[in-house]
Amino acid sequence: MIHRRNLFRSLMAISLWPFTSVSRSVASPIEQSDNNQVWPKDNDPNYWRWIRKQFLLPADEGYFNSGTLGARPRQVTDAVIKHMLEVEKKIAHYDYKNGLQYIAGYDDQIELRRKIGILINADWREVAILQNSTMGLSFIANGLDLKAGDEILITDQEHPSSRGCWELKAKRTGAIVQRLQLPAPAIEPEAVVKLFSSAITPKTRVISLPHITTRYANLLPVTKICEVAKRQGIFSLIDGAQSIGQFRVNVKDIGCDAYVTSPQKYLLAPAGNGILYIRQEKMKDVWATLAGGHWNDPVTDGLFRLMQYGTTNMSVLIGLNAAIDFHNKVGTERIEKRIQELIHQLRNGLQKINGATVLSSTHPEMISAAVFYKAAGLTGKQLQDELWSRGKIRVRVFGDEGVRQCVHIYNSPEEIDRTIEVVKLLAKNQHS
């Protein structure tokens, strides 16, 4: 196993690379980017324009689908490319002792886990780096000891992975999955808390719900629901795929037993990364699903036993490290404030259009970085296509009902104005 200090030096060298000079010996196709620019001052009026230039998106395209896959800043992309080129150039020099690490999936990644822990307020031992949220959800569902008749409470607005992992568990063990119907679109925090509280029975063993719902983009009152679960000795799992990167995620304040998230969305990391948190007191309750060499060792290194899933792409982890650095450089509070400004501009504009309907909750405590809406007379697919063909605005369709539009720091007020103008024109045409 590579020494941890050597790993830390390697990670830091890679994560800092995009902010320094470019190595000519490993030139990349995007080497002519503006990586060497000095970051603007916090009060620079052109701060967000400079941030937008750190992404390779064409200037005339507005990308609003971060809830599926975030665009990555060139600092992240360059870090991944540089490491991949380094591997191919020096693979014969990999001696399992010194230098860059070329293989992921077997090493404990303590320094990167420590950085993630700081980001979500967890001890690094409580953090496992996986490949996506689906893997983390399945690890929890497969790892908990449940028997016939035990109840799992979920919502009717789960991502398919959040639902599927428990359906599989129920089919194999005889446990029972109760799908609670969230009121939609008019939804309030207390109604959700009451829904879960009322559904608990003496047989309830698990409560699993999204931090932010996938389609309607509603921010759920997970802290209050976790309080209810804890009082009754129920295991609580939060699917935070949509959350990390758009606001501060504090797993200790949430009070959940486990939390999974997808850094490739709002944290702007490469696809192929996932994060799983399990509260230290609950680690012993989760069996390993994939059996590596440390599958039965929950003491030495916390959740390392859940990270041994075979050979994977180390360059992707280098990208995750660079994405966290980029996020920290901008600052969580600044990112959250910017996102809130943009989403309120979008929501307010849509609500003023006769013929447009916001389907997400309008409760101020449930607003996230996205909004789900429809336009009268148009299917979701038609609305998605019209936004792109008329305004180069990329949103995501969900069935025939409507589209979800996510905002992030690479979006601009001008792009939102363009969205409003297109929706307004479409609504007018339908009523003319």
Side-chain angles (χ1 to χ4, degrees):
M1 183 178 294
I2 294 179
H3 199 285
R4 293 172 181 172
R5 286 194 297 269
N6 291 331
L7 171 62
F8 176 63
R9 286 195 294 268
S10 298
L11 282 172
M12 290 305 296
I14 292 296
S15 67
L16 291 174
W17 173 79
F19 300 101
T20 57
S21 60
V22 179
S23 173
R24 287 289 149 186
S25 61
V26 288
S28 76
I30 56 175
E31 189 172 302
Q32 300 305 316
S33 65
D34 298 324
N35 286 348
N36 295 326
Q37 290 186 21
V38 177
W39 277 68
K41 301 290 185 181
D42 288 349
N43 59 354
D44 190 328
N46 293 314
Y47 184 91
W48 293 114
R49 289 188 177 89
W50 186 90
I51 289 293
R52 177 61 173 80
K53 291 180 180 178
Q54 304 315 298
F55 295 83
L56 298 175
L57 287 164
D60 64 335
E61 295 182 2
Y63 181 70
F64 287 90
N65 192 24
S66 302
T68 299
L69 182 66
R72 284 167 289 278
R74 61 186 69 195
Q75 289 88 339
V76 172
T77 304
D78 285 0
V80 174
I81 292 173
K82 180 178 188 297
H83 184 263
M84 294 182 74
L85 290 170
E86 191 76 23
V87 170
E88 299 308 315
K89 180 181 178 182
K90 297 183 178 179
I91 194 168
H93 295 259
Y94 181 31
D95 60 4
Y96 294 85
K97 293 185 296 183
N98 298 301
L100 292 176
Q101 184 182 1
Y102 294 161
I103 301 174
Y106 294 93
D107 195 79
D108 46 24
Q109 307 290 343
I110 288 178
E111 296 304 328
L112 183 52
R113 289 162 68 195
R114 197 184 306 277
K115 185 177 288 190
I116 294 169
I118 293 172
L119 192 64
I120 65 173
N121 191 27
D123 186 275
W124 64 267
R125 297 171 185 83
E126 300 173 310
V127 173
I129 304 171
L130 308 178
Q131 293 180 344
N132 48 54
S133 288
T134 297
M135 181 180 284
L137 292 163
S138 289
F139 278 12
I140 297 297
N142 290 329
L144 290 175
D145 281 326
L146 297 179
K147 61 182 184 301
D150 287 346
E151 293 177 351
I152 304 123
L153 302 184
I154 66 173
T155 76
D156 65 339
Q157 293 184 22
E158 303 291 333
H159 185 277
S161 297
S162 309
R163 182 184 71 247
C165 65
W166 295 116
E167 290 174 341
L168 174 60
K169 184 72 170 184
K171 189 174 183 63
R172 296 186 64 187
T173 65
I176 300 169
V177 178
Q178 301 283 8
R179 295 181 65 185
L180 308 184
Q181 185 174 354
L182 292 176
I187 187 172
E188 295 185 355
E190 291 306 321
V192 180
V193 177
K194 183 178 180 180
L195 182 69
F196 275 90
S197 300
S198 301
I200 293 174
T201 75
K203 293 184 177 181
T204 304
R205 299 290 178 265
V206 178
I207 290 178
S208 178
L209 75 159
H211 200 164
I212 299 171
T213 59
T214 300
R215 175 180 296 200
Y216 292 101
N218 291 324
L219 179 62
L220 299 186
V222 293
T223 300
K224 292 182 178 179
I225 294 174
C226 287
E227 288 175 1
V228 173
K230 187 174 183 179
R231 285 198 301 267
Q232 303 201 41
I234 299 169
F235 190 97
S236 57
L237 168 64
I238 305 301
D239 176 5
Q242 299 285 330
S243 55
I244 192 170
Q246 66 164 284
F247 54 75
R248 170 71 166 159
V249 173
N250 188 325
V251 293
K252 300 303 183 184
D253 283 351
I254 292 171
C256 56
D257 293 315
Y259 193 100
V260 299
T261 190
S262 297
Q264 85 273 10
K265 298 179 186 290
Y266 291 93
L267 194 58
L268 311 179
N273 280 300
I275 295 170
L276 169 62
Y277 156 84
I278 302 178
R279 186 161 60 90
Q280 185 171 1
E281 294 79 5
K282 293 294 183 178
M283 288 183 190
K284 64 182 184 303
D285 297 336
V286 181
W287 288 86
T289 296
L290 300 178
H294 291 260
W295 71 269
N296 198 30
D297 182 9
V299 178
T300 304
D301 188 9
L303 293 189
F304 176 45
R305 64 193 177 93
L306 302 186
M307 291 172 50
Q308 289 194 296
Y309 40 72
T311 302
T312 57
N313 190 346
M314 182 64 191
S315 301
V316 171
L317 293 188
I318 296 297
L320 173 59
N321 190 68
I324 296 174
D325 286 346
F326 183 86
H327 176 91
N328 290 337
K329 182 73 174 178
V330 180
T332 301
E333 291 184 5
R334 179 189 287 267
I335 291 171
E336 181 176 357
K337 181 180 178 182
R338 178 65 170 180
I339 284 175
Q340 287 299 309
E341 290 172 352
L342 294 174
I343 196 62
H344 283 297
Q345 178 189 351
L346 177 58
R347 280 174 165 263
N348 292 340
L350 291 170
Q351 289 170 339
K352 294 176 182 178
I353 299 174
N354 183 23
T357 303
V358 171
L359 299 171
S360 300
S361 173
T362 57
H363 194 286
E365 294 180 14
M366 304 191 75
I367 294 175
S368 71
V371 60
F372 188 60
Y373 64 95
K374 66 179 181 179
L378 296 174
T379 67
K381 180 67 165 60
Q382 289 172 332
L383 179 55
Q384 173 189 252
D385 292 347
E386 290 291 340
L387 281 166
W388 179 252
S389 63
R390 294 173 182 264
K392 287 291 186 72
I393 299 295
R394 174 57 65 201
V395 298
R396 176 173 174 176
V397 62
F398 279 92
D400 291 333
E401 191 175 14
V403 298
R404 185 190 67 189
Q405 186 162 353
C406 312
V407 302
H408 210 335
I409 59 174
Y410 41 70
N411 297 125
S412 68
E414 291 77 17
E415 290 173 340
I416 291 177
D417 286 341
R418 202 157 77 234
T419 300
I420 300 303
E421 289 304 314
V422 172
V423 176
K424 190 181 297 182
L425 178 62
L426 294 171
K428 180 181 179 180
N429 290 342
Q430 292 297 317
H431 287 85
S432 61

